[in-house]
Amino acid sequence: MRVLIAATALGSSPWVLMIRDQAGHLIAQIERSDFATAGATVWTGRLEASSITLSLRRGDAQTELEIRAAIADAGSADGSEAFSLQGKEATWRSVYPTTSILERETAETVGILVDNTYAEPPESSPDSRASWCCSGVMVGSDLFLTNWHCAGPKQRWDGEVLQNAVIDLAWEKSSVRRQFSATDVVAKDVELDYAILRVRQAIGLKGGRTIFPARISRDPLIEFEPVSLIHHASCRPKLISDKCRVQSTMRHAWTDPQGTSGKYPELTHDCDSEPGASGGPIFDAKGRLIAIHHLGHQKVASAMCPADRVNKAVKISAIMAHVRETKPGVADELGW
């Protein structure tokens, strides 16, 4: 769960809000300095508890806090139907335990994005909320790359979607808390289906401050080269699909189904995926980022798209070229 806390009055003395789980363990703490001004609100990071208690330590008679909202994050759906699998059963496996240093360090750059927002019409349910999860990868010390469509059902990265997002690099229940909040979208594009989020450590959670981003490949792509997809399919703990290869290095954009533009910013691959894997990074055999997954099989043919049994991903080279053209300052941060 996550909790929205408002500091309606900060008071004049330092204070600490202690958050404990159902057994009394301290799981988070929020300090006066976490609020910029009186009236400001902050979401906590993900709190691993079925119920919580809060207590205020120190402060003075002018200190006043309110709990404005509490939400349950999306859980895993292990029984979901197969979506984009090559066989009858998924060939992915848990990343942990692993004995490969390369695999472990590569996986540590990958995280889950969990978000929620008030649902769009019907107006008969104004208080209903939609929640979802996606995958993504750290490409800078405070930059997280995911899909543009991971903005959720409203399909826009507005203030509410950003405020409610939490990025967790340790969804697999690591003892180190590595949760982050999104503060801004520094680059995005619909055609290339990507968004780069500026992130900061989630309020109230300490630990895991140093981030080692993914290494980005500059080498040409090769058809049928072995690759791996690391993801959070169906909001599960971190998974790796590694019995797979690039199928084609020349695919049109999802917004150009007939390929009339003459541009081919995507590749196809046969790594097993499910909803929730969107934004998941695809790595080459050297552990370098070459693409981000964004579409599964086209199960039913349409007038615009034939049926197929391949997954689609956006090439990192196409994304970085777009960032360089439109956001050169961000490209400089990324060393591209």
Side-chain angles (χ1 to χ4, degrees), residues 131-307:
S131 62
W132 64 94
C133 72
C134 275
S135 303
V137 59
M138 297 298 296
V139 290
S141 61
D142 63 348
L143 295 174
F144 184 77
L145 172 64
T146 188
N147 285 147
W148 172 86
H149 78 254
C150 288
K154 293 197 293 187
Q155 292 295 278
R156 61 179 182 268
W157 287 97
D158 62 15
E160 184 195 15
V161 170
L162 276 177
Q163 182 185 51
N164 294 350
V166 61
I167 291 104
D168 195 335
L169 304 185
W171 192 255
E172 68 280 355
K173 301 188 182 299
S174 167
S175 59
V176 176
R177 310 301 290 275
R178 306 178 75 212
Q179 294 181 42
F180 300 85
S181 300
T183 62
D184 191 18
V185 181
V186 299
K188 67 179 187 292
D189 186 65
V190 177
E191 180 179 298
L192 296 177
D193 196 18
Y194 85 90
I196 300 178
L197 312 182
R198 180 85 64 189
V199 301
R200 66 183 178 193
Q201 189 172 34
I203 295 294
L205 302 174
K206 308 300 182 183
R209 291 177 180 270
T210 302
I211 298 300
F212 296 98
R215 295 180 297 125
I216 299 175
S217 173
R218 291 177 178 266
D219 292 347
L221 296 171
I222 303 172
E223 289 190 351
F224 307 116
E225 68 173 301
V227 293
S228 60
L229 167 64
I230 301 181
H231 55 95
H232 289 274
S234 302
C235 308
R236 294 177 175 94
K238 204 169 291 182
L239 299 166
I240 181 169
S241 301
D242 58 355
K243 299 181 184 302
C244 46
R245 296 177 180 272
V246 171
Q247 297 300 299
S248 170
T249 61
M250 299 286 285
R251 187 182 188 276
H252 50 75
W254 68 327
T255 54
D256 179 29
Q258 296 298 311
T260 56
S261 69
K263 299 178 181 178
Y264 301 95
E266 299 188 14
L267 59 80
T268 62
H269 64 91
D270 61 356
C271 299
D272 284 349
S273 71
E274 291 275 358
S278 290
I282 296 179
F283 297 100
D284 65 13
K286 296 180 180 179
R288 300 176 303 177
L289 178 63
I290 64 168
I292 58 170
H293 170 75
H294 83 129
L295 282 177
H297 297 175
Q298 181 73 29
K299 291 196 169 185
V300 179
S302 67
M304 298 294 286
C305 298

Side-chain angles (χ1 to χ4, degrees), residues 92-107:
W92 60 53
R93 57 182 172 83
S94 174
V95 169
Y96 303 98
T98 179
T99 57
S100 166
I101 294 176
L102 177 62
E103 185 177 286
R104 182 165 59 243
E105 292 181 348
T106 300

